[in-house]
Amino acid sequence: MTLLDLQDLQKSYGALAVTQNFSMSVEQGDLVGILGPNGAGKTTLFNQITGTVKPDHGEVWFDGEMVTQMDASKRCQMGIARSFQVPHPFVGMTVYENILVGATFGRSSFDPRKQALEIMDKTGMDDKANQLAGSLTLLDRKRLEMARALAADPKLLLLDEIAGGLTDSECVSLLNTIREVHETGVTIIWIEHVVHALMSVAKRLVVVDFGRKVTEGDPETVMNSPEVKSIYMGEDAA
Amino acid sequence: QSSKFTIGFVNPATGPLAGFGESDQYIMDAAKAAMAGIENNGSPVEIEIIYKDTQSNSNRAAEVAVELIERDGANLIVASGAPDTANPVADQCELNEIPCVTTVAPWQPYFFGRNGNPAEGFEFSYHFFWGLEDVIANFLNLWDDSGVSSKNVGGLFPNDADGNAWGDPELGLPKPLAARGYNVIDPGRYQVMNNDFSSQIAAFKEAGCEIVTGNQIPPDFATFWSQAAQQNFNPKVVTIGKALLFPSVIESLGERGDGLTTEIWWTPSHPFASSLTGETAKQLADGYTAASGRPWTQPIGFVHALFEIAADVAKRSEALDDPYANTAALAATNLDTIVGNIAWNGGAKNPVKNVVRTPLVAGQWQLDSGAPELVVTNNAEAPNIPVGGEMKLIG
Amino acid sequence: MQHATITRSTQASRIAGILALCFLVYIGAAPWWAGSADLRLITEILFYLALASMWNLLAGYAGLISVGQHAYVGLGGYLMFSCVLFLGMNPLWSIPVAGVAGALISIPVAWLVFRLKGPYFAIGTWVVAEVFRLSAAQMSSVGGGSGLSIPVAVMRDLGRKPDREMLIYFTAFALCVGAILLVYFLLRSRVGLALTAIRDNEVASSSLGVKIGRIKLFVYVAAAAVTTMIGALIFVTKLRISPDAAFSVNDWTVFVIFIVVIGGIGTIEGPIIGTLLFFLLREFLADLGAIYLMILGAMAIGIMLAAPKGLWGLLVSRYDFSIFPVGYRVRR
Amino acid sequence: MSESILEVQNLEVFYGNAQAIHGISLTIEQGELLSLIGSNGAGKSTLFKSICGMVRPRSGTINFKGQTTAGLSPARITEMGIAMVPEGRRLFRSLSVEENLILGGYVRRPGPWTLQKVYDVFPILKERKDYPATSLSGGQQQMVAIGRALMSNPELLLLDELSLGLAPVVIKDIYELLPKILGEGMATILVEQDVTRAMQVSDHFVCMLEGRISLSGQSDAFSHDEISAAYFGT
Amino acid sequence: MEWINVIVQGVLIGGLYALFAAGLSLIFGVMRLVNIAHGDFIVGAAYLAMVTITMTGLHPLLSLVIVVPLMAAIGYAIQLGLLNRVLGDDILPPLIVTFGLSIILQNVLLTTFSADSQKLNAGALEIGSIPVLPGVDIGYMPLLTFVAAVAIIAGLQFLFYRTSMGRAFRATSDDGEIAQIMGLDNRKVFAWAMALSMAVVAVAGVFLAIRANFDPFMGPSRLIFGFEAVIIGGLGNLWGTLIGGIILGVAQGIGAQIDPGWQLLAGHIAFLVILAVKPRGLFPRID
Ligand SMILES: Nc1ncnc2c1ncn2[C@@H]1O[C@H](COP(=O)(O)OP(=O)(O)OP(=O)(O)O)[C@@H](O)[C@H]1O
Ligand SMILES: Nc1ncnc2c1ncn2[C@@H]1O[C@H](COP(=O)(O)OP(=O)(O)OP(=O)(O)O)[C@@H](O)[C@H]1O
Ligand SMILES: [Mg+2]
Ligand SMILES: [Mg+2]
C-alpha cells in the first residue's frame, strides 16, 4: 500500500527552483534513502512533505488523503514526524520535556508521560532527562531530534542527516535504533551524506540534484551509476 | 489643648491641565501662613495642608483623593482644575463621607456629570463656580456689543465634559442663543487634540459665520485659528471658553491673539478681598507675580477661595474630627471671599443644592501695550466688576 | 527502566509553596488586620498583579507582545457601567458578565490582529485600543467624552463602608489569585507545554503536532476575559469612567509592561516581584511627580541593559529555583 | 622567520555551552592554498568565523601578519586584509549585483581587484549587474560572492563551501579560474565538500573531525582511504 | 466643492503624517527597531527649536540649520550608547527601552518647560494661502509641509538607493553579520541611520510646532499616526509611507466631514481595514 505519494511538486524561491517536477511514492514499510549534493533541495522536499513549506504546484498524498494544503501540526497528527537537519531543540526545556511535546501533541497517545519515558530509554537519552536541551552537544541534539519525532508515534518518519558527525560506534547504535523503529512498522525516509550508513539500512535510494530526481533504485546499482559517482561522490565517472 | 485639621488639596500640577495648578504652591504657602492663628471654640487649630498632584489624570485624581481620606485622614478635601479633577474627587468624597469643596468647573458638567439630582443634591460635596447660563448671557452681551450683521455662530465643541455640556442642544448654548436670534452652526463633537479643523471651517464659511464660539483646550484653538487663516475664514468675533484663559496661550498666538474674547471669572480688578488675608484681588495677583515672575492667571482667586472656605470651616465646625460636623459647617458657610460671597443656603445664587454661582463677566485680550492684557469689556451680568475698555472687532 | 517517575515539584518548591500559601492566607485576611487605607492599597496591588500576570501570559509565554491590553480594561469598565445603569445589575455581579462579553469581543479582534506579526502586532493592538477608546467617546449613552459616575446609591446598596470595602477586597483577591492560578495551571497543562515549545521554536513545534494558531487564540481570549473582569472591578472602585481614564495606555498597559519586565518576563514569579517593587517605588516616590516617572523610565531601561530577564530572572540564573514549578523532573 | 601569514594556536570555540572547536592549531604561509575538509558539523565554518571575528574564541590565539586579532571587530579585521566567501553565499538581497560587489570594496584596500577586473573574470556578472543579486542562478550567485570578497583586495581569502549547490560544470569553471583568481601572493583557505577536487588544487590540507584536527599534511601525501578514514572518523 | 476641499486638505495633512513617519520607517527598515519615543523626539525637537529661536531670534524655518544637526547628533549618541546594546532578535527590549525614553523625555520636557502649550510663530507664512478653486484654499504652511515631506522622502529614497551610505543601510538590514565582514561597523551604521531619522524628526518637529501648539505630552498621539502611515505603506517603502500618510489624512477628512467625532476613528478604521486585507501593507519591499 502506498503511504506517501508526491506528484509533480514544484517549488522555487524567487528565480531559484529548488524542487522541479518531483514525483515519488513510498510504500508502507519502506526505508528510502535520499542523497544528493548540498543545496539539491532535499530538505526542502521534507519541508513540503511535513507542511512547513507549501509547494507552488503539485500534490502531496499521505495515507490516502491529499494533504497539500494541510498545516504541519495536522499532518503530524496524521502520522508524519521529522527530525531537522539543523537541530531545533526547545532550548528552554529539558530533554524529557522536549520529548513530551512530541508525545503529547503527536498522533494519538493515551499516556504521553509514559510514552515519553519509553522513547527516552529507547533512544538512550535517559541519563540526560533533566538536562536543558540548550546545553546539549551536537550529537545529543541530533539524538533528541529523532527521539522527539519518534515520540509523536509516526507512521512515516523523516530523518534529515542525523548520522553526520557521529563516530563509528555511535553510528552503529544509531543504525540499530533505526532498524528497530523500522521493524515496528514505521516507514522511514532518510536524507544522509554518510553514505555507508545509509547503504547499510536503506532498501532503495533516491538521488536528487537541482531539485530533480536524478535516479532511483536499489542502493548498489544507484551508487555504482556513473552519474551519481560524478555529481555526488566527486569521483570521475571513468 | 490644640486640635488638628487636615486639608487635602487635589490639583493637576503636571500634565496637560497643569496650567490650572501653576500657582498652587504659592497660594497654598500663603494660605497656610495666614491660617496659623485660627481658633476653633476658643482653642487653637493646627492646620495641615496635604497637596496631591493628579498628573492631569482623572484616574489618579480619584486615587489620590482616596489616599487623602484613608491614609492622611483629611478632614476636608478641596480641588479645582476642570471637571476632570473636580468630579472624581467629589465622587470619592461623597462615597467615603468626607466633606469636599470644588471649583473651576462650570456647575452643569459638575452636577449633571455626576448624576446629580437637583431635588436631592449631594450630601458631602459642595461646589462654587459659574454656570453655562452665565457664559451664555455674557457671550450674548459681547456679541450684541460687537454689532456684527450675521447671526450665524460657528460652534466648536470638543467631546469632553465641558464641550458636551456647552454644546448640548437642550442644556447648552444652542437653545438660549436661538432665543436671542443667533443660530449655532454645530458640525458635531470633535476629539480633543484635533489637528484638522478643515471640515468645521468649511461649514462655517458656507454659513457665512462672523462669530465663532465654543469651548476648547488651547492646542485645539491654536490649530483651528491658524487653519482658519490659511483657509481664508476670517470671523470678526471669536469667543472661546477655557482656551483663552492663560496669558501664555495668547502670547504664543502672537499678533493673532489680539481681539480674542472670552469669559472672565476673576481679575485683579474684581472688587473683592480675601477673608483670610485681607488682601484685595489686586494685591493677591501682584503678590503672585512678584514671587513667581509670571503674569497672574484666573484660577488664582478661585484656588485661594478654596482655602478661605476651608479656614472658615475649621473655625466653625463643632467637632473637627467628625466628618458630619465638618460637613454641617461647610453647608452653613456664608463667607465673603476673594471671588465673591459663597453660601449654599438656597438663595438666588444656588441654582441647585450644593452649588454656588460666582459672578462672571466677559472681555477681550488686547495687545495694545505689547504684552497681552485681558480687558473686561462687558459687565452687564455683574455690574460691580469694573469695565476696563471697549471691545473691538478682529482684523 | 519503568520505575522512573515524573515529579513536577522539588523539595524547595514545596516548602516555598507552603510559605506562599501561608502568605496568601495572611493577605486574604487583610480586612481583619489592615486599615481602610492599606486595604485599598492592597486591592490596587492585586489589580496590577492580575493585569501583569495576564500580560505576562500573553507576551512572556505566548509571544504576543500587545501594547493594547488597556482596550480590555476599559471595555470591562464600560461593560460594568452598562450593566449597572441599563440592566440595574449589582456592580459585582456584572463582573462575570463582563468577562464573558470580553471573551466574545476578543475573538473578532484576535482574527484581525493575529494577521500581524511582531512589531506590527504590537502597533495593531494599540490601534484597536484607540478604536475602542474613540468608540466609547462616541456613545453618549455612557457619557461620551464627558464620562459618567456610578450613582452613589448603587454603591451604598453594596453595604456600609466597611462591608462594602471587604466585599470589593475579596472580589479583587479572588480575581487576582484566580488569574495567577489560571496562568499556573495553564502552564502545567498541555497548553503550557505547547506555549513553551512555541516560544522556543515555532517550526519545530508545529511539526510535532502543536496547533499554534489555536493555542495562541485560546491564550489571547483567556487573557482578554480576565483583563476585562479586572477592568470591571477597577472601575467599581474608581466610581467614575471616562474614555481617557478607561483606555489609558499609561495606566493599564505601560505600567503593566514595566512591572512585568522589571520583575522578569516569562515567569510566574516575575510579575509578583515587579508589582511589589512598582508599588514600593510609588509609595515612596510618587510625590516627586515628574521625577518619579523619570526614575521609572530609567529603571526600565536599566533593567533591559543589565538583566533582560528581569529581577526574578537574575535570581533564578544564580540559584535554580522556582516557587511555581511548571516543568517536569524525571526521577528513578 | 617563516612567511606564515596566519597562525592559529590552541583555539577553543563555544556556542553557549556547546564546544564547536577543541584546541585547533594551524598555520598558513603567504601564497599558499590550504584546503580544509571535514564532515558536516566538524567546525570548519566556525573556524572561519573565528578568524573573521564573527565569533569570539574562548581561548587560543589568532595572529594575522604577526598581529593578534583578539578583540578586533570584524570590520577592523577585514580592513587588515581578511575576506571570506561565506557558506551559503549570503548575498545582500536588496542590493543589485554591482552594489554587492561595490560593498565588498567598502574598506578600500589598494590592490589589483577592481570592479572591472571582477567583470573581466566573470563576464556574465557585467551583463547582470543591475539585477537583484538573489535573482541569479546559484552558480552566478557564487561568482558574486567570490567577486565581493575579492573586491576588498584581501591577503587572506577564506572560501567556505565553494561549490555548494553548484552544477558540476560551474564547479569545473570556478576551479579552472581559481589559480587566476588567487594570483600571486594571496593566501587561501578552501573548505570543500568535494574532497578529491580540493586535494587536487591545494598544497596542504587539514582534515577536521568534531572540532579537532584528525589529519593534516601535504595534499598528495595520503591515500584516498586514509583521508576518508580521517574524514568519517572510522 | 466641499468634497474636493476635504480631499485636498486631507492630502496636505497626509504630508505631515508622512513627515512623522519617514524617520520611523527608516529605522524600522534598517534595524527593525520600533521606536516608541519617536513622537516624543518630535516634540523634543520642537522645544529645541523654541529654545534656539529665543536665543538667536532666527525664523523658525531657519532654526532648522541648528536643530537638524543637533538632533542628528543626539540620535547618533543614543543609538551608540543605548539602543545598539538592546537590538537583537527579540523585539521587546528595544521596545521597552524606547518606552522608557519616551516617559523620561516627556517628564524632562515637563520639568524644563512646564506643561504650558507652546507654538512657534512663523508670522505671515502661517496664515497666508493660495486660493486654487472657490472654497478651496491651500495654506502656505500645509503646502510647505507637504513639499518638505516629498522632498525628504525623495532625498531619503536617493540616499537609500543611490549612495554608499544607503548601500550600507540596506546591506546591514539584509544581513548584519555578513555586512560586518565587508568592513561595515553595524553599530555605526545603525547610529547613522538613527542620526538621519532624528534629522527628519527635527524637520517634523519644527513643522508641527509651526502648525499647532505642542506640549510635553503630545508625542504619543502623533506617534500612532506615524506608525499607521509606515505600516499602511509597507515596511521599507518610503514612497509607500507618503501614500500611507495621505490615505490616513484623507480618511480622517472624510470621517470629519460625516461627523467630527468620526475623524480619528475613520483614520484608524482605514488602517485596520487595509491590514485586514494586506497584512504587510500596500507596498511591502522587505519581508
Ligand atoms: N526559505 C528559503 N529562501 C530562499 N532559498 C531557500 C530557502 N530555503 C532553501 N533555499 C534554497 O534552496 C536550495 C535547496 O535547499 P535545501 O535545504 O533543500 O538543500 P538540501 O538538499 O537539503 O541541502 P543540504 O544537503 O546542504 O542539506 C538551497 O539553494 C537553499 O539555499
Ligand atoms: N550559531 C550556532 N549556535 C550553536 N551551535 C552552532 C552554531 N553554529 C554552528 N554550531 C555548531 O558548531 C559545530 C560546528 O559547526 P560548523 O558550522 O562550524 O561546522 P562545519 O564544519 O562548517 O559543517 P558544514 O560542513 O555543515 O558546513 C556544529 O556542531 C554546529 O551545530
Ligand atoms: Mg538539507
Ligand atoms: Mg560549514
Side-chain angles (χ1 to χ4, degrees):
Chain A
M1 184 201 130
T2 305
L3 185 65
L4 177 75
D5 197 14
L6 307 180
Q7 296 177 359
D8 197 27
L9 290 185
Q10 315 244 12
K11 176 77 199 172
S12 18
Y13 289 110
L16 183 69
V18 285
T19 304
Q20 307 185 48
N21 310 93
F22 199 98
S23 300
M24 171 172 118
S25 67
V26 177
E27 298 297 305
Q28 175 105 47
D30 225 346
L31 204 169
V32 181
I34 296 187
L35 43 82
N38 285 112
K42 308 180 293 293
T43 302
T44 308
L45 205 55
F46 269 17
N47 288 342
Q48 293 171 80
I49 299 174
T50 60
T52 40
V53 167
K54 302 261 168 9
D56 298 337
H57 177 262
E59 290 178 356
V60 180
W61 288 76
F62 178 71
D63 214 2
E65 269 186 66
M66 188 173 76
V67 299
T68 322
Q69 295 304 326
M70 221 178 248
D71 278 346
S73 58
K74 188 78 206 304
R75 294 192 209 189
C76 172
Q77 285 165 1
M78 287 178 68
I80 302 181
R82 75 179 294 182
S83 75
F84 287 90
Q85 175 178 7
V86 180
H88 285 319
F90 304 125
V91 289
M93 297 169 122
T94 66
V95 167
Y96 174 75
E97 286 163 356
N98 265 271
I99 298 173
L100 189 62
V101 173
T104 307
F105 297 97
R107 199 159 69 97
S108 70
S109 131
F110 101 113
D111 187 354
R113 296 192 188 184
K114 184 149 163 275
Q115 188 180 332
L117 278 179
E118 282 171 11
I119 296 285
M120 212 166 52
D121 290 341
K122 201 193 296 188
T123 51
M125 303 227 53
D126 39 341
D127 53 331
K128 305 210 170 63
N130 296 328
Q131 205 172 325
L132 276 185
S135 68
L136 291 178
T137 61
L138 175 70
L139 189 66
D140 285 327
R141 283 175 191 232
K142 291 203 162 178
R143 280 202 194 138
L144 180 58
E145 278 294 323
M146 184 158 94
R148 217 168 48 173
L150 282 177
D153 189 20
K155 291 182 194 168
L156 174 65
L157 177 63
L158 307 175
L159 300 173
D160 198 349
E161 296 192 24
I162 55 165
L166 266 58
T167 63
D168 229 22
S169 58
E170 286 164 348
C171 201
V172 169
S173 87
L174 176 75
L175 288 173
N176 285 336
T177 314
I178 292 178
R179 277 194 202 99
E180 267 170 43
V181 171
H182 184 229
E183 272 156 22
T184 61
V186 179
T187 309
I188 296 177
I189 308 178
W190 184 8
I191 297 176
E192 193 52 80
H193 285 304
V194 184
V195 180
H196 67 93
L198 197 55
M199 298 270 293
S200 70
V201 291
K203 303 233 171 72
R204 190 155 65 95
L205 286 186
V206 175
V207 180
V208 183
D209 195 14
F210 291 105
R212 291 176 203 278
K213 189 158 76 181
V214 179
T215 46
E216 108 182 89
D218 74 277
E220 293 300 324
T221 330
V222 167
M223 288 317 289
N224 285 326
S225 80
E227 213 177 352
V228 171
K229 278 195 159 161
S230 70
I231 66 161
Y232 188 62
M233 299 305 285
E235 292 163 6
D236 281 336
Chain B
Q1 89 286 11
S2 85
S3 47
K4 200 173 167 196
F5 190 70
T6 306
I7 303 167
F9 179 28
V10 182
N11 224 22
T14 55
L17 297 176
F20 285 102
E22 177 185 308
S23 54
D24 286 352
Q25 202 63 42
Y26 172 78
I27 292 171
M28 211 166 70
D29 292 345
K32 182 116 198 282
M35 284 190 261
I38 284 184
E39 289 189 356
N40 177 292
N41 288 322
S43 58
V45 182
E46 186 198 326
I47 302 266
E48 190 187 5
I49 303 176
I50 302 176
Y51 183 61
K52 296 277 181 186
D53 172 19
T54 65
Q55 297 164 5
S56 300
N57 174 332
S58 68
N59 273 340
R60 185 148 170 87
E63 264 162 41
V64 295
V66 171
E67 239 171 65
L68 285 170
I69 298 168
E70 305 282 5
R71 179 81 54 90
D72 304 315
N75 302 103
L76 174 73
I77 305 241
V78 298
S80 80
D84 291 324
T85 317
N87 290 7
V89 171
D91 281 341
Q92 291 293 352
C93 292
E94 191 70 21
L95 187 67
N96 289 300
E97 312 190 343
I98 290 291
C100 160
V101 194
T102 48
T103 186
V104 189
W107 70 262
Q108 285 90 344
Y110 164 83
F111 192 83
F112 297 112
R114 299 179 53 217
N115 302 316
N117 179 339
E120 292 169 19
F122 302 110
E123 214 174 314
F124 295 92
S125 32
Y126 291 79
H127 188 75
F128 62 96
F129 207 54
W130 41 266
L132 293 174
E133 63 276 34
D134 300 300
V135 131
I136 292 163
N138 272 292
F139 282 12
L140 287 168
N141 293 343
L142 273 180
W143 302 340
D144 287 348
D145 291 350
S146 73
V148 295
S149 53
S150 167
K151 293 282 185 180
N152 284 343
V153 177
L156 291 167
F157 305 108
N159 185 5
D160 65 8
D162 278 330
N164 283 323
W166 287 50
D168 190 279
E170 285 304 310
L171 302 169
L173 265 56
K175 217 169 172 178
L177 262 53
R180 288 270 289 267
Y182 290 95
N183 173 30
V184 177
I185 310 296
D186 177 8
R189 304 292 155 271
Y190 65 87
Q191 221 40 49
V192 285
M193 293 303 275
N194 190 3
N195 55 11
D196 184 19
F197 286 94
S198 301
S199 63
Q200 284 92 335
I201 292 168
F204 298 166
K205 272 164 89 172
E206 177 97 8
C209 298
E210 291 186 324
I211 304 176
V212 173
T213 190
N215 176 298
Q216 295 191 287
I217 58 169
D220 281 341
F221 175 72
T223 309
F224 164 75
W225 197 217
S226 62
Q227 275 192 318
Q230 284 161 13
Q231 293 175 29
N232 255 323
F233 172 55
N234 299 304
K236 295 206 168 71
V237 179
V238 175
T239 314
I240 303 281
K242 193 150 99 186
L244 308 179
L245 267 180
F246 300 107
S248 58
V249 174
I250 305 301
E251 249 166 51
S252 73
L253 295 173
E255 293 280 290
R256 299 266 299 157
D258 191 26
L260 300 172
T261 41
T262 185
E263 83 280 6
I264 300 177
W265 358 314
W266 191 81
T267 63
S269 54
H270 271 52
F272 306 124
S274 166
S275 63
L276 191 56
T277 59
E279 281 177 314
T280 62
K282 177 136 182 43
Q283 286 166 332
L284 179 65
D286 290 347
Y288 172 67
T289 304
S292 67
R294 299 173 71 97
W296 63 274
T297 64
Q298 301 197 42
I300 292 179
F302 280 82
V303 174
H304 182 84
L306 284 174
F307 289 103
E308 289 185 58
I309 295 167
D312 185 48
V313 169
K315 283 180 203 157
R316 292 185 292 104
S317 173
E318 289 181 1
L320 285 176
D321 53 1
D322 177 7
Y324 294 94
N326 290 335
T327 309
L330 178 59
T333 301
N334 188 343
L335 187 68
D336 287 318
T337 71
I338 202 148
V339 299
N341 180 268
I342 305 288
W344 290 281
N345 52 10
K349 287 202 308 227
N350 301 138
V352 289
K353 272 188 80 178
N354 303 65
V355 171
V356 178
R357 273 168 58 200
T358 54
L360 186 71
V361 291
Q364 187 168 42
W365 287 100
Q366 297 182 349
L367 297 188
D368 300 334
S369 61
E373 197 182 340
L374 184 56
V375 180
V376 176
T377 62
N378 186 302
N379 66 351
E381 298 303 306
N384 53 339
I385 294 160
V387 168
E390 282 274 304
M391 179 184 170
K392 50 184 192 181
L393 295 183
I394 298 174
Chain C
M1 284 288 193
Q2 291 312 319
H3 39 264
T5 53
I6 308 297
T7 59
R8 308 206 55 188
S9 50
T10 61
Q11 188 77 25
S13 78
R14 272 192 294 274
I15 293 172
I18 291 168
L19 289 178
L21 204 67
C22 296
F23 185 65
L24 200 67
V25 170
Y26 175 70
I27 296 290
W32 287 281
W33 55 259
S36 182
D38 293 331
L39 200 61
R40 281 197 74 105
L41 180 65
I42 302 173
T43 310
E44 214 189 331
I45 292 178
L46 293 173
F47 289 152
Y48 269 94
L49 181 49
L51 289 178
S53 297
M54 284 302 112
W55 191 81
N56 183 39
L57 176 65
L58 277 186
Y61 290 103
L64 297 167
I65 298 176
S66 163
V67 263
Q69 284 311 91
H70 53 292
Y72 296 104
V73 176
L75 180 67
Y78 273 101
L79 285 168
M80 186 274 294
F81 265 76
S82 308
C83 288
V84 169
L85 294 178
F86 308 133
L87 306 178
M89 282 176 77
N90 171 317
L92 294 182
W93 279 116
S94 68
I95 293 172
V97 177
V100 172
L104 290 178
I105 291 172
S106 73
I107 293 172
V109 172
W111 173 82
L112 189 65
V113 291
F114 275 21
R115 302 171 65 84
L116 313 174
K117 300 269 172 275
Y120 287 84
F121 178 83
I123 308 294
T125 51
W126 187 14
V127 173
V128 167
E130 275 297 290
V131 169
F132 276 35
R133 179 177 74 85
L134 294 168
S135 305
Q138 287 309 104
M139 287 186 233
S140 50
S141 58
V142 284
S146 326
L148 197 65
S149 302
I150 303 189
V152 168
V154 170
M155 293 304 292
R156 297 226 168 109
D157 285 349
L158 287 179
R160 289 188 45 253
K161 192 175 170 202
D163 296 343
R164 187 173 67 221
E165 284 179 347
M166 200 192 280
L167 199 60
I168 290 176
Y169 178 80
F170 283 131
T171 315
F173 184 73
L175 268 182
C176 177
V177 173
I180 295 175
L181 288 182
L182 171 75
V183 177
Y184 180 54
F185 285 110
L186 213 56
L187 289 182
R188 280 176 70 101
S189 75
R190 41 187 278 145
V191 174
L193 195 64
L195 282 177
T196 327
I198 294 170
R199 180 172 67 174
D200 282 351
N201 194 313
E202 289 208 5
V203 177
S205 12
S206 86
S207 298
L208 288 172
V210 179
K211 295 204 164 70
I212 296 177
R214 203 182 286 182
I215 298 251
K216 285 191 169 175
L217 178 68
F218 174 74
V219 169
Y220 185 81
V221 171
V226 176
T227 306
T228 311
M229 290 201 277
I230 302 162
L233 185 56
I234 287 176
F235 284 91
V236 173
T237 65
K238 298 268 183 229
L239 303 179
R240 188 181 161 69
I241 201 163
S242 67
D244 291 346
F247 299 98
S248 158
V249 61
N250 273 337
D251 285 349
W252 314 127
T253 297
V254 175
F255 287 160
V256 167
I257 294 179
F258 278 2
I259 284 176
V260 176
V261 299
I262 288 174
I265 189 168
T267 60
I268 297 178
E269 295 87 347
I272 301 177
I273 306 267
T275 310
L276 293 178
L277 192 70
F278 177 77
F279 275 88
L280 213 65
L281 279 178
R282 205 182 78 175
E283 285 307 291
F284 287 108
L285 303 176
D287 290 338
L288 295 179
I291 310 241
Y292 157 66
L293 293 172
M294 287 184 225
I295 292 175
L296 209 61
M299 247 184 81
I301 294 176
I303 291 273
M304 276 298 122
L305 291 177
K309 286 269 146 215
L311 294 179
W312 184 258
L314 206 64
L315 240 119
V316 167
S317 67
R318 293 271 159 82
Y319 322 95
D320 182 21
F321 173 74
S322 167
I323 300 176
F324 295 100
V326 294
Y328 299 77
R329 287 273 176 280
V330 179
R331 295 154 152 272
R332 44 192 87 235
Chain D
M1 190 64 210
S2 83
E3 297 286 293
S4 76
I5 188 161
L6 179 81
E7 269 180 21
V8 176
Q9 260 165 18
N10 300 324
L11 196 70
E12 310 236 343
V13 182
F14 286 74
Y15 289 110
N17 286 327
Q19 185 161 12
I21 292 190
H22 302 258
I24 279 191
S25 304
L26 58 84
T27 43
I28 174 166
E29 314 278 302
Q30 216 149 29
E32 180 183 346
L33 175 59
L34 176 76
S35 76
L36 183 60
I37 58 175
S39 63
N40 230 296
K44 307 176 298 282
S45 301
T46 305
L47 177 62
F48 275 13
K49 286 183 191 168
S50 318
I51 296 173
C52 290
M54 286 159 74
V55 299
R56 300 252 157 253
R58 183 167 295 182
S59 64
T61 54
I62 300 173
N63 284 327
F64 180 62
K65 295 194 289 188
Q67 200 183 329
T68 177
T69 64
L72 297 183
S73 70
R76 183 73 196 88
I77 292 174
T78 306
E79 281 168 22
M80 288 173 68
I82 298 182
M84 173 156 91
V85 175
E87 192 173 14
R89 305 185 275 264
R90 295 176 71 173
L91 301 182
F92 300 114
R93 63 205 151 95
S94 46
L95 271 57
S96 68
V97 167
E98 184 158 296
E99 286 179 317
N100 264 280
L101 294 174
I102 292 174
L103 204 78
Y106 186 85
V107 292
R108 299 184 186 284
R109 284 171 53 83
W113 290 99
T114 59
L115 205 53
Q116 195 49 53
K117 182 102 186 285
V118 173
Y119 286 150
D120 288 345
V121 177
F122 302 116
I124 183 78
L125 297 189
K126 186 162 190 182
E127 279 171 39
R128 300 292 173 89
K129 70 185 172 65
D130 293 324
Y131 284 74
T134 42
S135 72
L136 268 55
S137 83
Q140 292 161 347
Q141 289 188 31
Q142 190 68 285
M143 293 175 197
V144 178
I146 295 171
R148 187 178 65 178
L150 292 173
M151 286 291 288
S152 72
N153 286 299
E155 289 167 60
L156 174 64
L157 179 64
L158 309 176
L159 300 167
D160 200 354
E161 312 270 12
L162 189 59
S163 52
L164 186 91
L166 299 185
V169 53
V170 181
I171 299 175
K172 202 162 144 267
D173 285 352
I174 287 183
Y175 274 93
E176 272 167 15
L177 282 171
L178 207 54
K180 186 165 151 200
I181 291 170
L182 300 180
E184 68 290 347
M186 193 191 295
T188 308
I189 307 182
L190 170 67
V191 165
E192 185 51 270
Q193 290 274 347
D194 186 341
V195 176
T196 320
R197 187 145 245 151
M199 289 304 188
Q200 280 166 6
V201 294
S202 62
D203 311 316
H204 291 87
F205 80 97
V206 168
C207 181
M208 285 178 68
L209 181 68
E210 291 177 31
R212 297 188 174 79
I213 293 183
S214 57
L215 192 68
S216 64
Q218 233 23 69
S219 293
D220 45 17
F222 295 88
S223 74
H224 186 273
D225 285 345
E226 281 170 303
I227 291 171
S228 125
Y231 190 95
F232 292 116
T234 42
Chain E
M1 206 49 65
E2 214 171 72
W3 288 102
I4 295 179
N5 191 44
V6 167
I7 307 276
V8 169
Q9 305 299 340
V11 169
L12 291 175
I13 280 252
L16 185 66
Y17 294 159
L19 264 187
F20 294 160
L24 265 184
S25 178
L26 180 76
I27 50 167
F28 210 25
V30 173
M31 54 185 131
R32 302 290 139 86
L33 175 77
V34 180
N35 184 4
I36 301 280
H38 190 82
D40 305 291
F41 284 137
I42 292 178
V43 175
Y47 277 103
L48 204 56
M50 188 181 86
V51 173
T52 312
I53 292 163
T54 356
M55 276 171 26
T56 61
L58 285 172
H59 185 273
L61 288 182
L62 281 181
S63 74
L64 283 172
V65 178
I66 293 171
V67 179
V68 167
L70 217 54
M71 286 301 287
I74 292 172
Y76 191 89
I78 288 181
Q79 184 67 38
L80 218 51
L82 185 62
L83 292 172
N84 271 336
R85 305 220 252 148
V86 288
L87 281 182
D89 292 337
D90 192 355
I91 66 159
L92 197 58
L95 198 78
I96 302 289
V97 169
T98 52
F99 248 135
L101 279 180
S102 151
I103 289 204
I104 294 176
L105 196 58
Q106 284 174 17
N107 288 285
V108 167
L109 292 177
L110 176 70
T111 43
T112 331
F113 298 102
S114 86
D116 292 347
S117 61
Q118 308 285 353
K119 196 168 169 306
L120 300 186
N121 202 327
L125 199 55
E126 219 172 293
I127 48 180
S129 63
I130 310 165
V132 280
L133 286 169
V136 183
D137 297 281
I138 293 184
Y140 290 149
M141 263 329 281
L143 184 64
L144 210 56
T145 312
F146 190 83
V147 170
V150 172
I152 281 180
I153 285 176
L156 287 179
Q157 185 80 12
F158 176 81
L159 184 128
F160 225 67
Y161 292 102
R162 294 276 178 281
T163 67
S164 137
M165 183 187 253
R167 271 198 301 276
F169 284 165
R170 281 179 291 145
T172 314
S173 139
D174 282 350
D175 190 335
E177 211 183 12
I178 296 304
Q180 287 188 24
I181 62 165
M182 299 295 128
L184 291 167
D185 187 338
N186 283 6
R187 297 170 321 126
K188 295 237 174 79
V189 171
F190 289 158
W192 276 112
M194 187 52 97
L196 205 59
S197 159
M198 289 286 255
V200 180
V201 157
V203 179
V206 169
F207 276 99
L208 177 72
I210 296 174
R211 180 193 174 85
N213 277 41
F214 56 96
D215 64 52
F217 292 96
M218 77 179 323
S221 64
R222 303 298 161 208
L223 173 71
I224 199 163
F225 300 137
F227 269 129
E228 287 178 334
V230 172
I231 296 179
I232 291 177
L235 185 53
N237 189 328
L238 288 160
W239 289 116
T241 300
L242 180 64
I243 293 173
I246 291 174
I247 289 178
L248 265 187
V250 172
Q252 290 181 351
I254 292 173
Q257 194 65 24
I258 296 165
D259 180 324
W262 276 85
Q263 184 169 2
L264 299 184
L265 214 46
H268 293 317
I269 288 171
F271 166 80
L272 290 177
V273 166
I274 287 172
L275 282 194
V277 182
K278 302 201 77 175
R280 293 168 60 233
L282 292 177
F283 319 99
R285 235 197 150 95
I286 303 174
D287 39 29

